[in-house]
């Protein structure tokens, strides 16, 4: 694997291979000594132009458990705040010998620019760009679903026949955009649910259905209900009347939780706004995979870094 920029680029076989490698990585994390020597001598740079403690720590843990050297770069307090361009930053990292760059950026397409520019020879992993994608989040979500549904027999399997309802702020969500393509590749059906103002106007070509009524969607008994965070930091307008109204119409409250089937999986990429998009009871229920997603995120990112750096690099 040269880069990981988008789940849309992954075939079914490629996606299943990454998930199977993540299974191998997860098994190593149950040992007393969890560190592997696989990437010893490699350097991974976490290049974060946006705040994201969870994603950065997850990538850092993944790289260190593979014995890679990790450099954390934050735009705040760096030369970027003095006006340094992405090109100059990339060329600086190239001279420092970076083998992989995990980039999170507020501009959609920044990782693609870095990968195609020739400024740096390192493998590029997209850790979230603008309102575009967040591919490793989708991989860890699919990994979590596959483990919950297929258990120990999950290797080599997709998510065929599974229905996933993704609820909330689809318009600004990188998670929704990455999940819809990966879930389609794995054979799952996706339904976007939310207020009309938070669902893109044109979904032509997207492998997803649309619903504006969460209660109606829940009556169809989806296998997975994935709640998304309301991304107020990306909102410039009033997309719904009030938080109370949003929670009443599109939040997974205790009453809606009670109507779910006993095997329905409840997911949230985090961080959560408890009481807004999801109630505390739903977040902490036995059906919830919120904590599993955190642990599985390390395994999925270990798999990505391993596939990116362990073999011979190709142009």
């Amino acid at each position: 694997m040269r880069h990981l920029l988008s789940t849309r680029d992954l075939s079914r076989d490629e996606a299943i291979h990454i998930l199977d490698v993540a299974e191998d990585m997860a098994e190593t994390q149950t040992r007393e000594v969890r560190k592997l020597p696989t990437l010893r001598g490699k350097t991974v740079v976490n290049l974060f132009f946006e705040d994201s403690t969870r994603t950065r720590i997850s990538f850092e843990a993944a790289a260190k458990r593979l014995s890679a050297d990790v450099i954390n770069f934050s735009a705040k307090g760096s030369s970027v705040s003095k006006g340094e361009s992405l090109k100059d930053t990339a060329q600086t990292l190239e001279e420092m010998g970076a083998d992989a760059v995990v980039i999170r950026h507020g501009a959609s397409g920044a990782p693609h620019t870095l990968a195609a520019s020739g400024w740096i020879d390192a493998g590029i992993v997209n850790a979230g760009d603008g309102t575009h994608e967040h591919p490793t989040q989708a991989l860890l979500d699919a990994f979590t679903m596959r483990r919950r549904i297929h258990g120990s027999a999950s290797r080599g399997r997709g998510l065929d026949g599974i229905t996933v309802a993704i609820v909330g702020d689809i318009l600004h969500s990188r998670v929704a955009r990455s999940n819809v393509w990966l879930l389609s590749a794995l054979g799952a059906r996706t339904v976007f649910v939310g207020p009309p103002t938070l669902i893109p106007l044109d979904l032509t070509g997207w492998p997803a259905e649309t619903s504006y009524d969460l209660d109606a969607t829940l009556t169809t008994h989806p296998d997975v209900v994935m709640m998304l965070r309301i991304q107020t930091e990306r909102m410039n307008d009033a997309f719904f009347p009030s938080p109370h109204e949003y929670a009443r119409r599109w939040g997974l409250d205790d009453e809606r939780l009670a109507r779910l089937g006993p095997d329905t999986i409840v997911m949230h990429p985090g961080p959560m706004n408890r009481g807004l998009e999801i109630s505390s009871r739903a977040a902490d229920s036995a059906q919830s995979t919120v904590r599993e997603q955190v642990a599985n995120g390390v395994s999925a990112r270990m798999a990505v870094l391993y596939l990116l750096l362990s073999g011979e690099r190709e142009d």
Side-chain angles (χ1 to χ4, degrees):
M1 187 162 62
R2 183 71 175 90
H3 307 291
L4 178 62
L5 305 175
S6 167
T7 56
R8 193 171 185 173
D9 302 331
L10 297 175
S11 68
R12 177 185 174 92
D13 289 344
E14 288 170 334
I16 289 176
H17 179 56
I18 295 173
L19 297 181
D20 286 349
V21 174
E23 289 282 357
D24 296 333
M25 297 301 174
E27 287 182 3
T28 68
Q29 300 310 293
T30 61
R31 302 174 185 170
E32 185 175 349
V33 178
R34 292 179 288 180
K35 201 165 186 175
L36 303 172
T38 316
L39 298 184
R40 185 176 294 152
K42 301 290 186 180
T43 300
V44 176
V45 178
N46 288 327
L47 182 60
F48 277 53
F49 292 86
E50 284 187 331
D51 296 333
S52 180
T53 305
R54 299 161 68 95
T55 302
R56 182 182 60 76
I57 289 176
S58 183
F59 269 108
E60 184 175 357
K64 286 183 174 179
R65 289 179 189 177
L66 291 169
S67 299
D69 298 319
V70 180
I71 300 173
N72 288 317
F73 179 101
S74 175
K76 289 183 179 178
S78 73
S79 53
V80 172
S81 63
K82 301 175 184 177
E84 183 174 79
S85 67
L86 179 61
K87 177 179 179 179
D88 291 331
T89 301
Q91 290 177 335
T92 300
L93 298 177
E94 172 75 4
E95 294 306 314
M96 290 180 178
D99 297 292
V101 175
V102 179
I103 179 172
R104 188 179 185 96
H105 202 286
S108 298
H112 291 73
T113 299
L114 200 58
S117 62
W119 300 333
I120 187 169
D121 189 48
I124 307 299
V125 179
N126 182 1
D129 61 326
T131 54
H132 180 227
E133 280 210 39
H134 190 354
T136 58
Q137 180 68 47
L139 285 166
L140 75 89
D141 290 341
F143 181 76
T144 303
M145 292 179 210
R146 199 173 75 150
R147 278 197 144 192
R148 273 284 182 115
I149 293 166
H150 298 306
S152 59
S154 62
R155 283 182 191 276
R157 303 183 71 167
L159 295 170
D160 301 281
I162 301 302
T163 298
V164 181
I166 303 180
V167 186
D169 185 1
I170 309 296
L171 183 64
H172 303 97
S173 177
R174 304 157 169 170
V175 176
R177 284 168 172 78
S178 284
N179 263 295
V180 70
W181 297 109
L182 184 62
L183 290 171
S184 176
L186 293 172
R189 168 177 168 256
T190 303
V191 182
F192 287 152
V193 187
T197 52
L198 288 177
I199 292 181
L201 290 174
D202 187 5
L203 291 175
T204 304
W206 290 39
E209 302 168 28
T210 302
S211 170
Y212 305 123
D213 189 334
L214 177 57
D215 291 313
T217 302
L218 295 182
T219 62
T220 64
H221 307 295
D223 301 284
V224 180
V225 178
M226 182 184 297
M227 308 306 295
L228 299 178
R229 181 175 67 87
I230 296 299
Q231 301 188 41
T232 53
E233 73 275 13
R234 302 186 199 281
M235 294 183 181
N236 299 317
D237 298 303
F239 288 89
F240 46 86
S242 68
H244 175 76
E245 178 70 7
Y246 180 89
R248 188 179 69 84
R249 294 284 304 277
W250 295 285
L252 185 61
D253 56 19
D254 294 350
E255 189 273 329
R256 290 189 175 106
L257 175 68
R259 282 194 273 128
L260 297 180
D263 296 325
T264 303
I265 301 169
V266 174
M267 305 186 76
H268 195 299
M272 295 180 288
N273 294 310
R274 290 176 183 253
L276 181 55
E277 65 255 8
I278 189 169
S279 69
S280 287
R281 181 174 293 178
D284 298 330
S285 67
Q287 293 160 274
S288 170
T289 63
V290 172
R291 294 178 64 183
E292 290 170 47
Q293 287 169 266
V294 175
N296 291 341
V298 176
S299 300
R301 288 165 179 137
M302 287 175 72
V304 169
L305 292 174
Y306 169 78
L307 292 169
L308 200 72
L309 295 176
S310 62
E312 291 296 322
R313 299 292 301 281
E314 295 181 359
D315 290 334

